[in-house]
Amino acid sequence: MAVSRMNSMHSMAQSIFTDNETAGGDIVYFEKAKFSAGDIVWVRGDKKTIWDRGTVFAAGDDQTDAMVAVRTENGREFLTRKAYGGELMPEGDGKAGYKDMTAMRYVNEPQILENLRVRSLGDKPYTFLGPVLVAVNPLKPLKAELEAGDRKCMTLAHPYAVAELAYQQMTFVLRRPDEAAESPANQTIIVSGESGAGKTVSSKMVLAHLVARSGGGDLAKAMLSSNPIMEAFGNATTLRNPNSSRFGKLLKVHYNKEGEAIVGASMGTYLLERSRITSHELGERNYHSFYQLLAGAEAGLLSDLFLDKNEKYKILLAKSKAKKEPTVTFHDDDAANYKEMTDALKHVGVDGDNFTNVVKVLGAVLNLGNIEFDDEETNEGKKAHVSAGSQKHLEGAATLLGVDKTSLEKAFTELERKVGGQVIVSFVEGENAAQLLDGVCKALYSRLFNWTVNTINLHLNKQGGDDLPTIGVLDIFGFETFA
């Protein structure tokens, strides 16, 4: 990282054997060649691979403009004039599986991918590249090599090691005399990558190590207990990841002035995917909280929320052009995760009326999503009204939100404008009314999400402050390339 005393962990999921279109060719002209017969090299792959390993079987003597002939392991012959940086790369010492790839003789794209491939096949998903920890999601549980908080983690390529380095750098600066300290004690760990790369799990590992390293305590445990809440309200199933974070999160862990104990924490969130609240693609899901409520809540509570587990709620149905009727996709662990989520909410003070209000908003959004509009012709044009089959959902949503049923319907079907001191009412067509309803659903859920985050912060930030040493963990997509 270019920033002083900032540690970074960069999550990535990419293997050398991926289906990637490359512009190959039997003869390509480039600048220079620096290879001899017998050298092991990498050449650009065909449509099935990114790079192929091969052997130079002929090379010209002219080192400024020599032809190089390569035969790959799969029998393809490759003739080129290019050396480093394009179609041909040196293979190095023939070894792979380095814990830190800066130790490799050549640090180039094919060598990095091959090293990651070898380590991931050996159930070693983490690999350092200098200060950056690259993670290849194993997509399966792995046996822990060490417990969180163990200082021996510095010998491993692991999120624990990134967390430990940040902790050691923070405490090292704090122990120095003020006049000798050249940089602030605060540290930041960036966890980034595309969907399914393993950001959520890696962030949880970092946090678990920081909590264990500080000796635990009730406040530290409360930090860990916030994970089920944030995953319920901010995570969803995508095509690539069954538990994908659909928001960015910066968690700041505040320590006492000696850096020995956690005294507070604060969380900032960014870019919640609002579009998912009312629409998602086939094979994906809405936010977990809706499914967990329907799968895990008692029948009496569901009845109070005007919900029925067996009913098809439209915001939970995927968009599909297929003729097959879409269904709501529940996961086997939705009911268990509901209990874990409600227990975690109680731990941060969301119980009683507060909890009731949380599930009321979820129930209201589900009911609102099932409201449909019909158009009727009037002297002033088309006017939308809630269809007869949607009346029960309108009534349920109105009751849960504590508003009048008629007023709620008018909020979608009528527009009021004040002109010259007079209020002019105009009618809304059904299509526009549906768009207004979608906006209300997004606004309600987004505000519930923000309220939940603020409530967690009030519970965690007991003694936090800007003057206390801090380790920040930034979990966000979009920083795959720092260029």
Side-chain angles (χ1 to χ4, degrees), residues 99 123-124 126 142-162 164 204-206 208-209 212-213:
K99 179 180 70 175
D123 287 342
K124 296 184 181 296
Y126 300 104
L142 295 178
K143 183 179 179 181
E145 297 182 70
L146 288 174
E147 295 294 328
D150 193 329
R151 301 184 189 186
K152 295 179 182 178
C153 65
M154 292 294 286
T155 64
L156 304 175
H158 197 278
Y160 292 163
V162 178
E164 178 65 20
K204 288 163 69 173
M205 288 182 177
V206 168
H209 184 82
R213 194 69 170 82

Side-chain angles (χ1 to χ4, degrees), residues 82 100 102 112 230 242 273 306 347 442:
K82 184 166 188 179
D100 189 337
T102 58
I112 290 174
M230 299 308 300
E273 187 184 19
F306 301 90
H347 199 82
K442 293 173 183 178

Side-chain angles (χ1 to χ4, degrees), residues 8 14 18 54 68-70 93 121 134 140 152 157 224 234 237 241 248 258 271 291 301 303 308 347 353 385 419 468:
S8 65
Q14 185 179 17
T18 61
V68 177
V70 178
D93 53 14
L121 290 176
V134 181
K140 64 179 180 180
K152 295 179 182 178
L224 295 178
T237 296
N241 185 0
E258 294 75 29
L271 304 173
Y291 306 88
L301 176 58
S303 178
D308 183 349
H347 199 82
D353 290 342
H385 62 86
V419 180
L468 294 176

Side-chain angles (χ1 to χ4, degrees), residues 27 55 127 162 186 211 228 259 272 284 297 375 401 447:
I27 301 178
T55 304
T127 309
V162 178
N186 295 344
V211 167
L272 178 70
E284 301 193 350
D375 282 328
L401 295 174
R447 291 191 179 191

Side-chain angles (χ1 to χ4, degrees), residues 68-293:
V68 177
V70 178
R71 182 178 292 110
T72 66
E73 292 179 345
N74 59 13
R76 185 167 64 97
E77 294 188 356
F78 194 94
L79 186 62
T80 181
R81 274 197 172 103
K82 184 166 188 179
Y84 305 97
E87 300 296 313
L88 199 60
M89 293 280 189
E91 194 265 356
D93 53 14
K95 298 178 181 178
Y98 285 93
K99 179 180 70 175
D100 189 337
M101 291 185 285
T102 58
M104 298 190 303
R105 182 177 179 183
Y106 297 110
V107 183
N108 53 40
E109 180 182 314
Q111 281 294 103
I112 290 174
L113 294 177
E114 173 66 4
N115 195 77
L116 295 176
R117 185 186 72 86
V118 170
R119 284 184 62 81
S120 63
L121 290 176
D123 287 342
K124 296 184 181 296
Y126 300 104
T127 309
F128 275 111
L129 181 57
V132 176
L133 183 66
V134 181
V136 179
N137 193 339
L139 300 175
K140 64 179 180 180
L142 295 178
K143 183 179 179 181
E145 297 182 70
L146 288 174
E147 295 294 328
D150 193 329
R151 301 184 189 186
K152 295 179 182 178
C153 65
M154 292 294 286
T155 64
L156 304 175
H158 197 278
Y160 292 163
V162 178
E164 178 65 20
L165 180 59
Y167 182 79
Q168 288 188 10
Q169 287 184 327
M170 178 190 71
T171 54
F172 172 75
V173 174
L174 291 173
R175 292 179 184 130
R176 299 176 66 185
D178 291 341
E179 60 272 17
E182 298 177 357
S183 59
N186 295 344
Q187 304 292 310
T188 301
I189 300 171
I190 298 176
V191 186
S192 182
E194 58 191 10
S195 179
K199 298 186 297 299
T200 299
V201 173
S202 296
S203 297
K204 288 163 69 173
M205 288 182 177
V206 168
L207 184 59
H209 184 82
L210 294 177
V211 167
R213 194 69 170 82
S214 67
D218 292 339
L219 182 61
K221 292 177 181 178
M223 289 171 49
L224 295 178
S225 70
S226 69
N227 284 327
I229 303 172
M230 299 308 300
E231 289 184 16
F233 289 93
N235 288 23
T237 296
T238 66
L239 294 176
R240 304 184 63 177
N241 185 0
N243 189 33
S244 176
S245 297
R246 310 313 298 168
F247 67 103
K249 178 176 68 175
L250 173 60
L251 178 65
K252 293 182 179 180
V253 183
H254 306 295
Y255 291 81
N256 60 13
K257 293 187 179 297
E258 294 75 29
E260 297 173 348
I262 295 175
V263 296
S266 59
M267 185 190 312
T269 58
Y270 314 91
L271 304 173
L272 178 70
E273 187 184 19
R274 287 166 57 98
S275 61
R276 185 171 293 271
I277 299 166
T278 58
S279 175
H280 57 276
E281 299 300 320
L282 187 65
E284 301 193 350
R285 297 207 314 175
N286 205 319
Y287 289 103
H288 294 327
S289 55
F290 294 114
Y291 306 88
Q292 292 175 6
L293 175 64

Side-chain angles (χ1 to χ4, degrees), residues 339-383:
K339 184 179 186 309
E340 186 178 12
M341 180 261 288
T342 54
D343 289 344
L345 285 171
K346 292 177 183 177
H347 199 82
V348 297
V350 181
D351 52 10
D353 290 342
N354 282 335
F355 175 75
T356 300
N357 289 332
V358 168
V359 294
K360 276 185 175 181
V361 174
L362 293 178
V365 174
L366 286 168
N367 275 286
L368 286 172
N370 269 25
I371 294 177
E372 295 182 344
F373 298 93
D374 292 331
D375 282 328
E376 62 176 305
E377 293 291 344
T378 69
N379 295 331
E380 300 177 13
K382 291 182 179 180
K383 176 186 177 182

